[in-house]
């Protein structure tokens, strides 16, 4: 029998505290520590050294980050080495009471069982054939686009636009591949994923891998959370959800006519996000944090683009082509990703369970060969958010089990048609704009 097996609960807890310090949740929240598997960690100093960035840790302080930690880290043996030095004690199991969520601990346990089921089904094992064919698609489309430009340049506008279509598709599909690599879901080796990620996002797409990781994981950790999810920081241009428009309206603030944002959204953000805003933000980030390696990798993109298109189009023509490709890529990207998030709940961080958080802020789009391809399987956005490191070709296999868990806890599992999901972007912007307008004029 164990050391405290014959002790009454109070004596057992006292015996345990003599070996390991026991903390209350009030202490953990006050000191901004993090809890993982009922162990308490002081990340105050480590946050600056965290490979995923400081902010993602700070966004989880005072909370149970077990599921987020498990979802983001693939090599547990490596991260355990860091955790040992940060551990300062334990918290009483099942004591994280949140008045805003019933059965939180029970749901947490059931989700851990769901993850074990996914592991047993080998759903975290990538398919070499799937990703090889996907990469081959990029090479073929890129070569076709380059060949058409080389043969005709501006002389044949039909072949020029076919070339643009091929290059746009290359960039969009490269975006889905780099997304998989960034989530460590293509190769078994973490180092190989990181290396291939730089090849695809830096050399093929011309964007910073470090900046993408830093931003994207914040989104995954706290999706649609005001002040924590960078993907919804549009307050000067667009207001999302119900709470933020009302707050801004009551303060009599309005930089733009938000009651019309459902119209101007489609003509403002999509055209400039990838070609202009992302590029400016990327260079500011790399300069600020001295990301020299990313700068060198991105140089390969410009060298590649120069030799592929300058001989046929000239420098100005190559620049125009790059902007045109990114212009259409931007629409593709926003359409494919935002229909799964914008219409969902937008609120301040409520410290809900990982499972519930992802379900109320994310929705799916119906499965089809076209939907899978055009969205990079992010039509299974719910499953992807629950299991970020799961290879996307396996997401549909875990979906039925996710639905069962939703039914058990009365959580809505939203799956829409592509047309419905697209129209819901318009509808949610319209609703948020009307909330602001009423609060502003009341």
């Amino acid at each position: 029998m164990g050391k405290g097996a014959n002790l009454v609960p109070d004596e057992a807890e006292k015996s345990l505290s003599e070996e390991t310090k026991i903390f209350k949740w009030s202490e953990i929240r006050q000191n901004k520590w993090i809890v993982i598997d009922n162990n308490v960690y002081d990340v105050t100093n480590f946050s600056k050294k965290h490979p995923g960035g400081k902010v993602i840790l700070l966004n989880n302080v005072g909370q149970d980050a077990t599921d987020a930690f498990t979802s983001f880290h693939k090599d547990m043996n490596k991260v355990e080495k860091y955790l040992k030095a940060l551990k300062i004690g334990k918290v009483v199991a099942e004591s994280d009471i949140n008045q805003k969520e019933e059965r939180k601990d029970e749901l947490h346990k059931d989700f851990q069982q769901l993850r074990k089921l996914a592991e047993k089904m080998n759903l975290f094992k990538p398919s070499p054939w799937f990703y090889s064919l996907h990469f081959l698609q990029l090479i073929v489309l890129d070569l076709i686009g380059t060949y058409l430009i080389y043969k005709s340049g501006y002389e044949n506008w039909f072949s020029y636009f076919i070339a643009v279509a091929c290059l746009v598709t290359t960039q969009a599909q490269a975006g889905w591949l780099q997304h998989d690599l960034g989530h460590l879901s293509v190769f078994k080796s973490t180092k190989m994923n990181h290396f291939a990620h730089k090849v695809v996002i830096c050399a093929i797409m011309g964007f910073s891998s470090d900046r993408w990781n830093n931003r994207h994981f914040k989104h995954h950790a706290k999706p649609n959370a005001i002040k924590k999810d960078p993907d919804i920081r549009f307050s000067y241009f667009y207001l999302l959800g119900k709470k933020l428009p009302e707050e801004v309206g009551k303060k009599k603030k309005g930089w733009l006519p938000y009651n019309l944002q459902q119209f101007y959204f489609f003509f403002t953000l999509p055209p400039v996000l990838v070609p202009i805003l992302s590029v400016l933000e990327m260079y500011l980030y790399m300069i600020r944090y001295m990301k020299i390696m990313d700068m060198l990798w991105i140089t390969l993109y410009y060298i590649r683009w120069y030799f592929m298109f300058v001989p046929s189009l000239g420098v100005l023509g190559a620049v125009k082509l790059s902007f045109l490709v990114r212009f259409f890529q931007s629409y593709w990207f926003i359409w494919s990703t935002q229909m799964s998030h914008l219409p969902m709940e937008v609120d301040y961080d409520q410290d809900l369970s990982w499972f519930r958080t992802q379900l109320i802020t994310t929705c799916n789009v119906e499965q089809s060969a076209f939907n899978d391809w055009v969205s990079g399987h992010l039509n299974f956005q719910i499953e992807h958010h629950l299991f970020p490191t799961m290879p996307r070709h396996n997401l549909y296999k875990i979906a039925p089990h996710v639905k069962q868990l939703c039914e058990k806890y009365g959580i809505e599992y939203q799956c829409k048609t592509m047309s419905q999901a697209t129209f819901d972007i318009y509808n949610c912007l319209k609703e948020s704009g009307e909330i602001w307008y009423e609060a502003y004029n009341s």
Side-chain angles (χ1 to χ4, degrees), residues 18-168:
E18 290 175 354
E19 300 173 4
T20 305
K21 191 168 184 180
I22 304 297
F23 295 101
K24 297 179 180 179
W25 273 104
S26 57
E27 296 177 274
I28 294 169
R29 294 187 176 102
Q30 181 180 357
N31 290 282
K32 298 182 179 180
W33 295 326
I34 281 180
V35 173
I36 300 172
D37 286 328
N38 294 321
N39 294 311
V40 182
Y41 299 93
D42 184 352
V43 297
T44 306
N45 296 323
F46 174 74
S47 61
K48 298 178 182 178
K49 306 173 185 177
H50 184 233
K54 175 182 178 180
V55 176
I56 192 171
L57 278 182
L58 298 182
N59 282 349
N60 287 274
V61 294
Q63 300 179 4
D64 188 333
T66 303
D67 290 328
F69 172 82
T70 306
S71 297
F72 291 135
H73 298 92
K74 191 173 182 179
D75 189 349
M76 288 300 174
N77 292 328
K78 182 178 180 180
V79 295
E80 284 291 342
K81 297 176 182 178
Y82 292 96
L83 288 178
K84 288 180 181 178
L86 304 174
K87 184 178 175 180
I88 58 174
K90 296 182 74 70
V91 66
V92 179
E94 301 181 16
S95 62
D96 185 12
I97 299 175
N98 189 338
Q99 300 296 333
K100 298 177 182 178
E101 181 177 17
E102 297 180 353
R103 303 166 69 190
K104 181 178 180 179
D105 288 316
E106 185 180 347
L107 178 55
H108 166 67
K109 288 182 179 180
D110 279 347
F111 177 69
Q112 288 185 318
Q113 291 302 313
L114 180 60
R115 184 176 185 86
K116 289 179 181 179
L117 174 63
E119 292 171 350
K120 187 177 180 180
M121 295 169 66
N122 286 322
L123 298 186
F124 291 95
K125 183 178 180 181
S127 166
W129 280 107
F130 176 86
Y131 285 112
S132 296
L133 291 172
H134 187 83
F135 186 74
L136 180 62
Q137 169 193 216
L138 305 184
I139 301 301
V140 171
L141 288 170
D142 213 36
L143 289 175
I144 292 174
T146 305
Y147 176 77
L148 290 173
I149 294 293
Y150 171 75
K151 292 296 290 184
S152 60
Y154 288 125
E155 294 178 7
N156 187 324
W157 284 101
F158 178 75
S159 63
Y160 180 82
F161 281 110
I162 294 297
V164 169
C166 289
L167 295 173
V168 169

Side-chain angles (χ1 to χ4, degrees), residues 222-277:
K222 298 293 180 181
N224 284 11
I226 299 170
K227 295 184 178 181
K228 290 189 176 183
D229 182 358
D231 286 3
I232 62 167
R233 289 177 186 166
F234 302 131
S235 55
Y236 285 101
F237 303 100
Y238 321 100
L239 294 176
L240 305 175
K242 297 178 180 178
K243 184 161 290 186
L244 194 59
E246 186 175 9
E247 288 181 357
V248 174
K250 286 182 177 179
K251 293 177 182 178
K252 305 301 178 183
K253 292 182 178 180
W255 299 275
L256 289 170
Y258 299 119
N259 53 310
L260 300 177
Q261 66 180 358
Q262 69 272 22
F263 299 113
Y264 68 73
F265 172 85
F266 298 96
F267 304 104
T268 51
L269 182 63
V272 301
L273 179 64
V274 175
I276 300 174
L277 296 180

Side-chain angles (χ1 to χ4, degrees), residues 326-394:
R326 286 183 169 177
F327 174 87
F328 288 113
Q329 178 197 356
S330 191
Y331 269 96
W332 188 331
F333 170 75
I334 289 179
W335 171 54
S336 299
T337 58
Q338 296 311 305
M339 59 185 174
S340 296
H341 287 300
L342 288 189
M344 303 303 290
E345 182 173 318
V346 178
D347 202 345
Y348 292 97
D349 183 12
Q350 302 296 313
D351 189 19
L352 303 177
S353 63
W354 174 263
F355 187 87
R356 191 179 298 273
T357 296
Q358 308 306 327
L359 264 295
I360 64 176
T361 58
T362 310
C363 70
N364 281 3
V365 174
E366 289 182 347
Q367 183 182 20
S368 72
F370 174 76
N371 289 352
D372 291 353
W373 176 80
V374 78
S375 67
H377 290 84
L378 291 183
N379 50 326
F380 287 96
Q381 190 78 255
I382 292 173
E383 288 72 25
H384 169 62
H385 263 256
L386 290 173
F387 307 101
T389 58
M390 183 180 289
R392 57 175 150 126
H393 53 79
N394 287 333

Side-chain angles (χ1 to χ4, degrees), residues 304-315:
R304 184 177 69 89
W305 202 265
Y306 179 90
F307 284 106
M308 286 168 64
F309 303 115
V310 170
S312 301
L313 302 176
V315 174

